[in-house]
């Protein structure tokens, strides 16, 4: 499995885990915001992201690009992810498989569980408002939100921000 396939597989199981916590189904707005806030928590506490996805500053808040591509494929009737997901309507998705927990660490599951607990009962507008945080506000619409901005918006201190910056530099140096 190449690196991109690993990213997709990891995202599939993150989404399945969140969906399982939400009773098996959710609208994508709630699903994506829960993932965003879990990412933010994990960055603040551990200096790493939950997924390898990239978030874009869309009109209604941050949207994870790989997760959104998976959803679009499911919604359009593609068979690639049919063993994992089913589209319920124009904006909702259902998990049809159990998540493989080997793709999630204990710290990731803890942050996701907290994010589900905090956000599952929020309305569309409340989730949108909550996700229009400092990271979203400082990013041009439809552009990628920096993990550093996400961490700062989540309350990361200067030491954690420096650690994340260093990790991003190391990661980018490996792939140059």
């Amino acid at each position: 499995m190449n690196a991109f396939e690993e990213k997709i597989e990891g995202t599939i199981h993150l989404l399945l885990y969140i969906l399982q916590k939400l009773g098996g189904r959710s609208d994508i707005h709630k699903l994506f915001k829960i993932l965003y806030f879990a990412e933010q928590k994990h960055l603040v506490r551990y200096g790493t992201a939950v997924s390898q996805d990239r978030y874009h500053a869309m009109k209604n808040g941050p949207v994870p690009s790989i997760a959104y591509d998976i959803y679009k494929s499911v919604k359009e009737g593609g068979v690639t992810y049919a063993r994992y997901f089913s589209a319920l309507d124009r904006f909702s998705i259902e998990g049809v498989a159990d998540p493989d927990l080997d793709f999630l660490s204990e710290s990731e599951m803890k942050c996701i569980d907290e994010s589900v607990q905090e956000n599952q009962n929020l309305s569309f507008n409340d989730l949108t408002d909550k996700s229009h945080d400092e990271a979203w506000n400082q990013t041009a619409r439809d552009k990628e939100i920096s993990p550093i901005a996400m961490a700062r918006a989540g309350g990361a201190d200067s030491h954690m921000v420096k650690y994340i910056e260093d990790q991003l530099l190391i990661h980018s140096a490996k792939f140059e």
Side-chain angles (χ1 to χ4, degrees):
M1 188 180 302
N2 67 37
F4 185 69
E5 290 169 333
E6 286 179 23
K7 284 182 184 183
I8 292 172
E9 196 72 18
T11 300
I12 287 168
H13 294 287
L14 284 168
L15 295 174
L16 286 171
Y17 183 78
I18 296 168
L19 287 168
Q20 186 178 66
K21 295 292 178 177
L22 293 172
R25 56 182 57 181
S26 177
D27 66 82
I28 60 162
H29 184 262
K30 185 171 297 223
L31 180 64
F32 293 168
K33 298 310 172 263
I34 287 171
L35 182 56
Y36 174 75
F37 293 122
E39 292 273 17
Q40 202 171 52
K41 285 177 180 299
H42 207 270
L43 281 165
V44 169
R45 292 179 189 165
Y46 307 103
T48 61
V50 170
S51 75
Q52 295 180 44
D53 215 332
R54 301 286 183 233
Y55 289 81
H56 288 81
M58 307 300 281
K59 176 184 171 189
N60 294 314
V63 174
S65 61
I66 294 171
Y68 188 54
D69 287 345
I70 290 169
Y71 167 72
K72 288 187 294 188
S73 175
V74 170
K75 182 180 81 167
E76 293 165 3
V79 296
T80 306
Y81 307 107
R83 66 185 171 131
Y84 302 110
F85 306 103
S86 175
L88 297 173
D89 58 35
R90 188 168 166 216
F91 298 109
S92 297
I93 192 167
E94 178 177 45
V96 296
D98 290 328
D100 182 343
L101 299 183
D102 288 342
F103 282 91
L104 289 92
S105 70
E106 285 185 34
S107 64
E108 291 166 345
M109 287 187 282
K110 180 178 180 174
C111 289
I112 291 168
D113 292 349
E114 289 176 19
S115 183
V116 168
Q117 185 67 35
E118 293 168 7
N119 299 294
Q120 67 183 337
N121 296 320
L122 296 182
S123 70
F124 182 96
N125 289 337
D126 289 341
L127 283 168
T128 298
D129 290 346
K130 184 177 178 181
S131 69
H132 285 181
D133 59 13
E134 178 186 322
W136 182 86
N137 280 314
Q138 72 182 33
T139 306
R141 291 305 65 85
D142 303 330
K143 298 299 180 188
E144 186 176 321
I145 300 172
S146 155
I148 299 297
M150 286 173 60
R152 282 190 178 123
D157 65 24
S158 60
H159 298 291
M160 185 57 80
V161 169
K162 175 70 172 127
Y163 174 79
I164 296 167
E165 288 171 341
D166 290 348
Q167 294 306 305
L168 290 171
L169 280 172
I170 291 167
H171 182 76
S172 67
K174 286 182 184 178
F175 295 101
E176 286 183 352

